[in-house]
Amino acid sequence: MTKAISAISRLIARLTQRPQSEEQKLEELLSRTIPFLIRERELITTSREKIRLWGDVVEDYSVLHRIPEKAIEYGEMFGLKIKDTPIMGTHTAAYVEQFSERLLQIIKEHDKKDLGLKTTGLSIKFSDFVYPEEGIRWQLEEPKESTFVLPITGNVNGREVADARIKIGLCYKSPKELIEEPVYSRNKFVLDEERLRDTYKCIPPANREKVPQMLPNAFVISTLFSLLREKTGRMKGVYATMNFDYMAEPELNQDVSVQILPSRKPRETKNKENGNTQYMYKISAVCNQNGKQITRGEVLVTTPYLIDLTKPSHPKQ
């Protein structure tokens, strides 16, 4: 009788148990797999040639990353000790993205329910420069904020150079309607097979057929420097953080447009090293393909120039 009651209780429990939501299934999958990936490492080293090629790929031609003497002068302007041409922040973030893609491939191998795990965004904070031939050791840390965020750090010889958060989920973010007219637009970054091939000459690909999300994100930085040059005649600026959300995967053979949105007045600061006045801007931007948003985010930029980014200007074709 006791066994019969126990069997009936188990049957009732199964019949009355609510089915797991897709999000609960994902959380369970991540809870099972991520502990095995903690401390997963990857060492990536780049070269001077690859730094320049990445600049060509994303159309960022700043002398900071191309001419050592100019890079040192650049650093002095911002009170920074720069000893050579550093890797671009977007290049560093592209390394993080590829490392995280390889981690997601491992997680997907354990996904028996085929949930369709996606990278839904990336945020990164840069804390130091990385130079040619220096190896960045990427490492997955233990998630503390959320199961749906992969914390990844980058270190060079024991010093932390980048702290990233890879956002993961089952669906991309929903696009937001633009309420204000952009202050600046760049309407054509050609995203073709040649650009994709050159991209993967600069970073170790997790999936050679897939367009990296960091490619349109990098176009945002290039557009910001184009805006800076148009407003001041110079391309002098450094960015400390980037935070992007993804609305769709970038498509090959479709042009990318970038819109810089109006921002508040910058925060004025005095550089502690040289006393120079600097202005810190929090810039919002959107990338589009075929009139649809594919990525949206914010970049924290510092420049010695005070420019008005509160009002729309004539778009640049």
Side-chain angles (χ1 to χ4, degrees), residues 8 17 47-48 116 127 136 150 153 160 180-181 222 231 242-243 285 308:
I8 292 172
Q17 185 178 25
S47 64
R48 199 176 301 276
S127 51
I136 308 176
L150 300 181
T153 56
E160 185 171 290
E180 300 173 288
E181 184 182 346
S222 304
K231 293 282 189 179
M242 298 188 296
N243 183 14
D308 185 4

Side-chain angles (χ1 to χ4, degrees), residues 18-297:
R18 293 182 180 180
Q20 280 185 311
S21 67
E22 295 294 289
E23 190 172 89
Q24 288 172 326
K25 292 176 184 177
L26 175 58
E27 187 169 12
E28 181 184 302
L29 171 65
L30 296 175
S31 297
R32 282 191 288 108
T33 55
I34 287 180
F36 296 100
L37 298 176
I38 298 300
R39 305 302 177 186
E40 188 76 15
R41 296 177 177 86
E42 182 173 77
L43 182 66
I44 300 177
T45 303
T46 194
S47 64
R48 199 176 301 276
E49 291 72 25
K50 287 182 180 178
I51 294 173
R52 290 172 179 163
L53 179 58
W54 178 263
D56 293 341
V57 167
V58 302
E59 301 183 33
D60 182 344
Y61 305 108
S62 171
V63 295
L64 172 62
H65 308 288
R66 294 173 182 268
I67 305 172
E69 295 79 10
K70 293 290 185 180
I72 293 170
E73 292 177 10
Y74 203 104
E76 290 172 352
M77 174 183 290
F78 289 94
L80 301 170
K81 295 180 180 179
I82 298 178
K83 60 183 182 181
D84 201 343
T85 52
I87 301 173
M88 296 175 193
T90 54
H91 197 173
T92 303
Y95 283 142
V96 178
E97 179 184 36
Q98 295 305 302
F99 175 54
S100 69
E101 283 293 318
R102 281 183 274 280
L103 295 178
L104 289 188
Q105 286 175 3
I106 297 173
I107 295 173
K108 288 177 181 178
E109 290 172 2
H110 294 82
D111 181 10
K112 306 302 181 184
K113 299 175 182 178
D114 195 22
L115 295 173
L117 184 61
K118 297 177 174 63
T119 299
T120 62
L122 174 150
S123 66
I124 186 167
K125 179 180 180 181
F126 305 104
S127 51
D128 205 348
F129 294 101
V130 184
Y131 300 102
E133 311 306 332
E134 286 190 327
I136 308 176
R137 186 175 296 279
W138 297 106
Q139 177 173 297
L140 176 65
E141 305 291 348
E142 184 175 354
K144 295 179 180 178
E145 305 164 18
S146 165
T147 312
F148 303 109
V149 175
L150 300 181
I152 297 174
T153 56
N155 291 270
V156 175
N157 297 324
R159 60 185 171 91
E160 185 171 290
V161 297
D163 184 8
R165 298 290 182 271
I166 305 298
K167 309 167 196 177
I168 53 179
L170 300 177
C171 302
Y172 289 116
K173 306 291 184 179
S174 299
K176 293 182 180 179
E177 183 179 354
L178 298 187
I179 300 175
E180 300 173 288
E181 184 182 346
V183 298
Y184 187 83
S185 298
R186 169 113 184 240
N187 293 334
K188 193 172 183 181
F189 287 93
V190 178
L191 189 47
D192 58 10
E193 293 180 3
E194 179 181 358
R195 196 187 295 258
L196 185 61
R197 282 196 304 271
D198 287 343
T199 295
Y200 283 131
K201 291 177 183 176
C202 304
I203 55 177
N207 181 351
R208 196 173 289 276
E209 304 301 318
K210 184 178 179 180
V211 179
Q213 293 277 10
M214 265 312 302
L215 203 46
N217 292 350
F219 295 155
V220 169
I221 302 300
S222 304
T223 302
L224 282 174
F225 280 114
S226 294
L227 168 60
L228 198 57
R229 181 173 55 194
E230 182 177 285
K231 293 282 189 179
T232 68
R234 300 277 194 277
M235 292 176 63
K236 303 287 187 181
V238 292
Y239 49 100
T241 65
M242 298 188 296
N243 183 14
F244 289 99
D245 289 321
Y246 303 148
M247 276 66 79
E249 279 193 28
E251 295 181 23
L252 197 59
N253 298 318
Q254 298 290 337
D255 294 346
V256 175
S257 66
V258 177
Q259 296 173 308
I260 306 299
L261 306 179
S263 63
R264 296 179 179 178
K265 291 182 178 180
R267 181 163 64 89
E268 182 178 333
T269 62
K270 287 285 186 182
N271 189 286
K272 295 179 180 179
E273 296 294 327
N274 56 27
N276 292 346
T277 300
Q278 297 177 343
Y279 301 93
M280 188 179 294
Y281 300 81
K282 182 179 281 189
I283 306 292
S284 297
V286 175
C287 293
N288 305 282
Q289 277 188 324
N290 292 324
K292 297 180 180 179
Q293 294 179 20
I294 58 172
T295 184
R296 179 175 183 140

